[in-house]
Amino acid sequence: MKRREKSVNHIAQVNENFEPWEPNQPIPIFVIALVFALSIWGALTYLSEFGTVHDKTGPETSPAAPSTSPTTEAQGLESASPEVLKLVYSGKDNMWSCPSCHGAAGEGSASTPRLAGQVADYLFKQLEDFHNGSRDDASMAYVVDALRVDERRALADYYAQIPLPSGVAPTLGGDLDRGQILAEAGDWEQNVPACFQCHGGNGEGVEPSFPGLAGQHPQYTFVQLARWHAGARGNSPQALMDGISQALTPNDMRAVADYLATLPLEPVQQAH
Amino acid sequence: MTTNSTQNGGPSRTLGRLLKAGALGLVLFAFGTLAFQSGIWNTVYSKVSGIPDTDQQGIEDQALANRTAMQAAREACLKDVQSDPPPVPVSADGYYAPPAESAIPDTPFGESIRRGRDIFVNTGEHAPRFVGNSQSCANCHLDGGRKEHSAPLWGAYPLYPAFRGKNQKVNTFQDRIKGCFTYSMNAQASPSGGPPPLGSDVYVDLESYAFWLADGVPTGAKVPGAGYPKVAKTELGYDYERGEEVFTANCALCHGDDGQGRREADGRLRFPPLWGAEAYNWGAGMSRINTAAAFIKANMPLSKPNSLTDQEAWDVAAYISSFERPKDPRQTGTVEENRARYHDGDDIYYGQEVRGKILGAGVSREQTSAASAQ
């Protein structure tokens, strides 16, 4: 009842010629609602990412999912000169160390990519691209600018030689059957060859230019495809990935990113 | 603000409003999520951006509906030959739509189709006795022989038997494939020393696969997308030296600076070699510059068809054809004689001097491994 009185009072003060609503109400409600929506969304996103990083035992879809930590499974973590190891683990000047974002064994998480076992020349090219700005990422640009070119080469080679089994599983709710078709057969009507035609028969990459996709975090894969789709990543040789990503719908990207996360990473049988 | 809030009812009022806002926020969020998951977003997005919403299901459904219509018309024809002829199933991009791989029947015939597909896609593994290089049929007939403008099997199968100038006789479909084994697959260097004999299971299975892919194209009909589309001659003609630049910029990424293709770490071939002992031989259609230009313009670089100009396609075709490859199996006498007999008037460097050497003598695997051992 008190409330009614107040609003009656309130209305009495208002200029009669003016539209009879409370002018400051609709906008704050809308803004507050938005803030709430955003923060809930943020919290959910955080929770889901937090879940994938820490829930290494979870996924039923990947029977080989490791129950041990990446550092105990990875090999070659120490096979580099002391200078390179120092660079990796302690960073340099103000630069953050690589493991602070990419994980102790280069296993990555969510939208920070796995580096372990990736094609060496590809990693090096990316570091150069972050450096010359053709690939745009604020944190990596900051990190890379603190490094000399020989250090970039050494870091690329260091991460490339770390064999590490896949520790990922689908997280995006993509259609795995559709993902498999895209990965193995492509969608030629859209000029999308099979991903495996360029990225290797099991998605393990082809030296020197084609990165491995198997074992990569599905969020990261999805984000990269989305960036090419939107024109926000521009460093693919001959703009190959630009054309391919632009032909994919968001559902296709989810599907293929998730499917690639189901692949085991077999240790490579060296050719003789 | 303070005056405002006291005016509006103090803390309890603010709390109420906060709760309402929270509830509304939730509702908004739920609504947004639902709207996104319903796919409306994709549809609107593709309308506004002009990027087609490739609904794979939709495309497949359309092709399937076309096939169902074809079956229905076929049954009508059984009762009345005069009824409308079955329509050709067509895909969204306007070319003949071959049946989906998942539609291969589970019958003995289906088994043969599957074997044919495997041979076609991975020839070295499934017909190893007859392959003398590192090529597969699908390297030149893309998407497992389905892709328009890369001489798809469905474009070829309904046109045989036919008279061919190349060997001056009526060729069956088996004869035609035998030609590809002899030249494109360089069967002379294979373990068996030649192409599969006519009637071999290899041909039978490949024929089953081709028949099945072409089921829907009327016999004798040449349909759009068959063969490789010709590239018009250009004023400048072709020049392998200009072609080198085109190659470095557009092709070396996959085929290698030395044209020897790329292999995976386990040794499996990923990108085919374009010249040298592991490539198609001097008798193959692809070694003619006009044919190579046609294939390249419509299919290369992979995933970017028709991105080269006609001039670039001619020049880069000339470049890849300006290196040695396995010898023409028809050659009995000298290269000059063979040129006069089989290559006269062709757009080919066979028997011509390039970089100070007459091309055509051929390279073999033995020569290549001897050279690399040195």
Side-chain angles (χ1 to χ4, degrees):
Chain A
M1 295 302 106
K2 230 169 140 202
R3 252 169 98 205
R4 172 154 297 165
E5 273 170 39
K6 287 270 177 184
S7 52
V8 168
N9 285 344
H10 187 64
I11 286 172
Q13 292 166 9
V14 168
N15 180 348
E16 301 258 325
N17 296 332
F18 202 68
E19 290 281 295
W21 65 50
E22 293 186 38
N24 61 350
Q25 266 206 6
I27 296 168
I29 284 196
F30 175 70
V31 171
I32 292 170
L34 206 70
V35 167
F36 264 78
L38 280 173
S39 50
I40 291 165
W41 176 64
L44 288 178
T45 315
Y46 176 79
L47 281 179
S48 72
E49 294 206 348
F50 187 81
T52 53
V53 177
H54 295 273
D55 180 22
K56 293 273 181 207
T57 45
E60 323 85 358
T61 26
S62 143
S67 49
T68 43
S69 83
T71 31
T72 55
E73 279 190 318
Q75 292 154 25
L77 283 183
E78 302 300 325
S79 37
S81 69
E83 296 88 73
V84 175
L85 290 178
K86 182 166 175 293
L87 203 59
V88 170
Y89 289 107
S90 321
K92 180 183 170 186
D93 308 331
N94 288 330
M95 188 202 87
W96 309 300
S97 73
C98 314
S100 65
C101 294
H102 289 280
E107 74 277 16
S109 67
S111 54
T112 308
R114 164 200 174 101
L115 304 176
Q118 185 56 284
V119 172
D121 288 348
Y122 169 78
L123 289 180
F124 179 61
K125 172 179 175 284
Q126 300 309 306
L127 294 177
E128 294 310 287
D129 288 351
F130 287 124
H131 184 60
N132 64 33
S134 61
R135 184 170 172 188
D136 192 21
D137 183 74
S139 24
M140 278 310 295
Y142 179 76
V143 168
V144 160
D145 287 349
L147 298 169
R148 293 191 315 267
V149 62
D150 58 309
E151 293 173 329
R152 297 199 284 270
R153 183 72 243 187
L155 284 169
D157 291 342
Y158 170 73
Y159 278 111
Q161 56 85 43
I162 301 177
L164 179 69
S166 171
V168 297
T171 52
L172 309 171
D175 173 354
L176 294 181
D177 292 337
R178 171 70 178 151
Q180 181 168 14
I181 290 177
L182 284 170
E184 292 178 353
D187 185 349
W188 287 81
E189 225 148 287
Q190 314 288 331
N191 289 322
V192 178
C195 311
F196 290 172
Q197 271 191 291
C198 289
H199 289 280
N202 302 314
E204 75 288 27
V206 183
E207 299 272 359
S209 312
F210 300 93
L213 303 176
Q216 188 56 274
H217 298 274
Q219 288 99 316
Y220 173 75
T221 305
F222 175 81
V223 167
Q224 299 309 309
L225 293 172
R227 286 199 171 174
W228 270 307
H229 185 105
R233 179 171 171 183
N235 67 332
S236 168
Q238 295 176 225
L240 292 173
M241 281 309 296
D242 303 54
I244 288 166
S245 304
Q246 273 150 25
L248 298 178
T249 61
N251 280 338
D252 279 348
M253 296 180 206
R254 254 190 294 280
V256 75
D258 264 354
Y259 174 72
L260 292 168
T262 65
L263 299 173
L265 258 178
E266 315 258 311
V268 173
Q269 310 284 307
Q270 282 297 328
H272 11 256
Chain B
M1 253 356 246
T2 2
T3 38
N4 228 345
S5 79
T6 35
Q7 237 179 34
N8 286 355
S12 73
R13 183 84 200 277
T14 315
L15 192 71
R17 209 191 286 169
L18 250 159
L19 280 177
K20 263 193 236 154
L24 198 65
L26 262 178
V27 170
L28 264 177
F29 178 74
F31 177 75
T33 314
L34 282 178
F36 183 77
Q37 286 189 343
S38 73
I40 290 182
W41 169 251
N42 284 347
T43 321
V44 174
Y45 178 83
S46 73
K47 286 254 162 56
V48 174
S49 64
I51 300 166
D53 180 16
T54 44
D55 178 4
Q56 178 62 17
Q57 203 53 45
I59 293 174
E60 272 169 15
D61 286 352
Q62 188 194 332
L64 196 73
N66 278 333
R67 280 211 166 257
T68 320
M70 178 183 85
Q71 286 303 349
R74 280 180 178 176
E75 266 151 41
C77 275
L78 271 181
K79 296 193 192 91
D80 175 13
V81 198
Q82 298 278 350
S83 69
D84 288 340
V88 175
V90 174
S91 69
D93 55 5
Y95 296 101
Y96 166 73
E101 194 131 313
S102 55
I104 299 179
D106 287 319
T107 58
F109 183 54
E111 291 303 305
S112 174
I113 297 172
R114 283 202 182 86
R115 286 194 300 270
R117 177 204 57 196
D118 291 346
I119 296 172
F120 197 83
V121 172
N122 200 338
T123 320
E125 198 170 299
H126 296 278
R129 295 190 51 244
F130 308 107
V131 178
N133 58 17
S134 296
Q135 305 282 323
S136 280
C137 311
N139 288 161
C140 303
H141 306 285
L142 268 51
D143 193 14
R146 294 166 168 271
K147 177 107 179 86
E148 73 279 356
H149 299 319
S150 73
L153 288 176
W154 46 260
Y157 184 83
L159 298 181
Y160 287 86
F163 181 82
R164 285 188 81 208
K166 190 164 181 168
N167 52 16
Q168 293 290 316
K169 62 169 187 143
V170 172
N171 287 229
T172 62
F173 190 69
Q174 288 203 2
D175 288 316
R176 182 67 189 86
I177 308 180
K178 189 177 170 201
C180 269
F181 269 104
T182 309
Y183 305 110
S184 297
M185 311 302 294
N186 195 33
Q188 59 186 340
S190 70
S192 76
L198 290 179
S200 145
D201 283 352
V202 172
Y203 295 132
V204 174
D205 292 337
L206 282 168
E207 248 180 321
S208 300
Y209 181 52
F211 167 87
W212 175 77
L213 281 178
D215 182 20
V217 181
T219 305
K222 186 148 186 173
V223 288
Y228 301 122
K230 283 199 171 56
V231 182
K233 287 221 160 39
T234 58
E235 244 170 62
L236 285 176
Y238 53 82
D239 174 23
Y240 67 86
E241 285 177 348
R242 276 198 309 263
E244 180 166 7
E245 276 170 42
V246 183
F247 186 84
T248 312
N250 298 289
C251 322
L253 179 76
C254 298
H255 293 288
D257 288 318
D258 58 359
Q260 295 313 294
R262 293 192 193 280
R263 291 176 183 276
E264 295 184 24
D266 63 4
R268 269 185 306 167
L269 190 81
R270 188 47 43 207
F271 301 109
L274 302 182
W275 62 81
E278 297 300 326
Y280 45 94
N281 67 37
W282 278 115
M286 199 61 88
S287 67
R288 285 198 312 267
I289 297 167
N290 52 341
T291 308
F295 168 82
I296 291 166
K297 169 96 181 168
N299 296 289
M300 289 290 139
L302 190 73
S303 83
K304 298 178 77 180
N306 297 311
S307 61
L308 300 178
T309 63
D310 288 359
Q311 186 62 53
E312 288 170 329
W314 277 104
D315 289 342
V316 78
Y319 179 70
I320 65 172
S321 313
S322 69
F323 296 94
E324 269 299 351
R325 52 183 69 259
K327 76 189 253 285
D328 186 339
R330 293 166 297 188
Q331 181 192 341
T332 45
T334 64
V335 168
E336 190 40 53
E337 282 162 14
N338 199 53
R339 172 170 175 90
R341 184 137 177 235
Y342 292 112
H343 297 285
D344 210 30
D346 283 355
D347 289 312
I348 192 168
Y349 287 130
Y350 186 82
Q352 292 186 22
E353 190 173 318
V354 172
R355 299 186 195 91
K357 259 191 71 188
I358 304 280
L359 286 178
V363 281
S364 66
R365 287 174 159 174
E366 292 73 33
Q367 285 166 320
T368 314
S369 53
S372 63
Q374 268 169 19

